[in-house]
Amino acid sequence: MMTMVAFHGDAALKAQAMERLRRHIAADSFVYFPAWENGQANVIGAVMEADDTPGFAERLGYPVALAETLPILVNGFRPKAEAERFAWAWLERTPVGADLTRIVSQLVLDLLASAELAALTGKHPDVERGRLAIMALHRAAIDGDEPDRKTWKAARMAAVAATDALGEAALDRRAGQVIEAAAWPASMRTVLRDTLNGLGTFELYLALSRIGWTDQDESRVFHIRDQAEKDGYKAEFSGLDRVLAILDADHPALAGQFRLRLERMEASNERYRSIGWKAIELMERAAVDAAPVPAQ
């Protein structure tokens, strides 16, 4: 496994990255997406002055899977001022010279240890075996014993087969897909992003199922909104306010459920925020772990 050293040990490189981000925040040209367009930039674009995630990773010494995930972590913070605070903290709290090699696998392990994910996979022995096997591979990588490509592929194929055997149970399949997404080495560009998105989607669908919200409810709201736009109904409102005004007027029971749905969707961002702060804490810890022990 290639060693990833934060900012390549160069404090001036960190200072330059932070200054570029600071300028966009101060000019109110920091955005969630896209990375770089018309003078506006997200965290990647602010540093690179281009839409270049691999370049961001290479330039600053972050694992590419970590850089690939950074924009969606920032996207979990609302309002924008909180997103800016997190993006600034990411650069500021990454220690110059920290060994970031193990961070991706550590974060994947954290995601796979989700209690709600484990509760569901535990009902399906093959899926649970896959979860535990893939966790063991990431632990081996953290310990410096990186599994070879053949071992990763075997674990991945077993996870895919276990998911396929679940049939049409949507929530169970989403859990299985989280395991599949994690069945790649930390060097794979999308492993962390896909595992995080998969778990986020699984947890959201689980939360929605607990309030009785269904795909049919989702479709019903879409068609109600679409018809209202064609008819010009409640045109004095816009966006989400218009949807709520229509539902309150004509479908009060559905309106109540829809508000619960909105609450659960907002709460789902907590997964992204928590893993973001966890990443920063692990990077800070990596610097301590890598520091030489003072002579006695």
Side-chain angles (χ1 to χ4, degrees):
M1 182 186 294
M2 182 183 298
T3 301
M4 303 301 299
V5 177
F7 306 108
H8 306 288
D10 185 350
L13 189 58
K14 174 176 179 174
Q16 181 191 63
M18 292 182 66
E19 174 57 20
R20 289 183 175 183
L21 177 60
R22 185 200 65 77
R23 287 203 304 263
H24 279 282
I25 292 174
D28 197 30
S29 57
F30 180 87
V31 294
Y32 292 102
F33 297 104
W36 181 253
E37 186 176 282
N38 298 325
Q40 296 186 314
N42 73 356
V43 62
I44 302 294
V47 172
M48 297 304 296
E49 298 180 341
D51 184 354
D52 186 4
T53 299
F56 177 95
E58 182 178 353
R59 179 178 181 82
L60 301 187
Y62 288 105
V64 68
L66 200 58
E68 181 74 23
T69 308
L70 179 54
I72 69 168
L73 296 176
V74 174
N75 192 52
F77 290 83
R78 295 291 191 277
K80 194 175 76 165
E82 285 301 302
E84 292 168 346
R85 184 173 75 89
F86 172 75
W88 181 260
W90 182 279
L91 293 179
E92 182 181 45
R93 291 173 57 183
T94 301
V96 174
D99 182 353
L100 306 182
T101 310
R102 298 170 176 80
I103 301 294
V104 172
S105 281
Q106 288 172 321
L107 292 171
V108 171
L109 279 176
D110 190 82
L111 296 171
L112 290 179
S114 160
E116 290 188 324
L117 178 68
L120 197 149
T121 59
K123 298 176 183 178
H124 305 283
D126 287 345
V127 179
E128 176 64 2
R129 274 193 289 272
R131 185 180 75 91
L132 295 176
I134 292 163
M135 291 179 77
L137 294 183
H138 281 288
R139 287 196 189 98
I142 290 168
D143 292 339
D145 185 19
E146 176 67 49
D148 60 24
R149 293 176 61 184
K150 183 177 180 181
T151 302
W152 279 111
K153 183 176 181 179
R156 187 162 57 253
M157 296 305 293
V160 170
T163 302
D164 289 346
L166 294 174
E168 298 304 314
L171 192 58
D172 293 12
R173 288 187 64 84
R174 290 186 187 280
Q177 288 162 359
V178 177
I179 312 306
E180 293 176 29
W184 296 89
S187 57
M188 175 67 175
R189 175 173 173 171
T190 62
V191 60
L192 179 58
R193 183 198 68 190
D194 290 349
T195 306
L196 175 57
N197 279 336
L199 182 62
T201 301
F202 163 75
E203 290 177 334
L204 174 59
Y205 270 75
L206 181 60
L208 293 178
S209 71
R210 287 171 174 165
I211 63 170
W213 187 262
T214 66
D215 289 341
Q216 289 73 27
D217 292 324
E218 196 76 29
S219 179
R220 186 181 174 199
V221 170
F222 173 82
H223 288 297
I224 290 170
R225 183 192 65 186
D226 189 51
Q227 189 62 51
E229 289 178 352
K230 291 176 181 177
D231 297 340
Y233 183 49
K234 297 290 184 183
E236 66 272 26
F237 299 96
S238 63
L240 184 58
D241 289 338
R242 187 176 186 182
V243 175
L244 291 170
I246 294 165
L247 295 179
D248 285 339
D250 302 336
H251 310 277
L254 184 59
Q257 282 293 96
F258 186 69
R259 281 187 168 84
L260 288 176
R261 168 208 181 264
L262 293 175
E263 290 174 6
R264 298 305 186 275
M265 291 192 73
E266 173 56 30
S268 71
N269 281 331
E270 177 55 30
R271 167 59 67 183
Y272 294 82
R273 292 190 292 266
S274 65
I275 205 71
W277 291 120
K278 176 77 172 182
I280 290 175
E281 291 167 5
L282 287 171
M283 290 190 291
E284 289 178 319
R285 182 72 236 171
V288 174
D289 290 344
V293 177
Q296 299 296 316

